[in-house]
Amino acid sequence: MKNNPLDKSEIVAAERNDAQISPARIRLEASTHCQLKCPTCKTATGELYKHMALGFLRFDNFKRLIDENPNVREIELSNFGEIFLNPQLPKIIEYAFEKDVRLTASNGANLNTVRDATLEALVKFRFKHIRCSIDGASQKTYIQYRVRGNFDQVMENIDKINAYKKQYKSEFPLLTWQFVVFGHNEHEIVKARQMAKDRGMAFETKLNWDENWSPVRDKDMVRREMEIGAATRSEFKEKFGSSYMEHVCHQLWDQPQVNFDGTIWGCCLNNWKAFDGNVFEDGLDGALNSEQMQYARGMLTDGIEPRADVPCTTCSVYKNMRKAGRTLDRSHVAGGWRGSAMPRNT
């Protein structure tokens, strides 16, 4: 009997079915609640909750996920909400420490409302990293975007963390000051960078996702201050030929996003449609390797046709990639993507 070679679509399907993932790193939203009212954020407008549940990660679900998935060694807890509003966060931090699972809040936290016991737990149980979302160097500037926020309180909480680090003789958590650049705060970038340095923090600037809200004014100055040399996301795309957030797509393999209730969202940008499955009902590997998730990964890397039921199909990042005739390049990814991506202006 003659062996018929597989056509291209069959080869892609076979490769996709073999591409089971069991990541050592995941993203697990600790809270979709947020106490601030940032003007362009979907949590502030309530639009987020049309598609995504409002609530907190429960300790028992976190414990079960850790116990049932010993391969998971790092978990990112922040995404759309503020992790420090979760009342069970200290228990979650302590249990992760006991199981040698590294925790991060590298997506972003506003640090406006944190109990002292939680601040101490961050240090005592070696929380790995926090990206502090601080878009200004004064209350007058900061509050223009971080509506309801208190700049002085944030600084006090950071100083308390540093005091606990000194008490426990620990470098953790590592702290990064993230400064989303707007027209109303660009004049405070240099001051904020110095304030971060004074507190032993790394400092990072970030481009505003909505260029129509408080657009940058002095683009030459912003280009000089930005690590990437671009003043807007559209300028970044023109300069580099790709979306500012395209790297987020790698999360579908290396650090997939899960909501506090176990629903699968794939990446930290998706807030409009969950993937099939639930990690607390179907198991982590089962949920992350559903036919729908595998098809999405094939859309990104193999260029297979988009499908209406796959959330990526309506994502602007994917649509821009497809329009340009490109696919996601994972050839440079050695041992898994190691970046931390931030959606929106968190």
Side-chain angles (χ1 to χ4, degrees), residues 6-27:
L6 295 173
D7 65 26
K8 182 178 179 181
S9 63
E10 290 174 320
I11 292 173
V12 169
E15 290 176 346
R16 190 168 67 250
N17 289 332
D18 288 339
Q20 299 285 314
I21 66 168
S22 186
R25 305 168 75 233
I26 65 169
R27 308 174 66 89

Side-chain angles (χ1 to χ4, degrees), residues 34-38 43-44 110 112 142 146-150:
C34 185
Q35 77 278 50
L36 303 189
K37 292 292 181 181
C38 304
T43 60
N110 65 60
N112 274 266
Y142 171 78
R146 303 291 166 180
V147 177
R148 294 186 180 180
N150 186 320

Side-chain angles (χ1 to χ4, degrees), residues 84 93 118-127 130 161 173:
F84 294 114
I93 295 172
T118 302
L119 294 173
E120 183 174 10
L122 290 170
V123 179
K124 183 178 180 180
F125 301 117
R126 300 177 69 80
F127 199 94
I130 304 170
I161 290 174

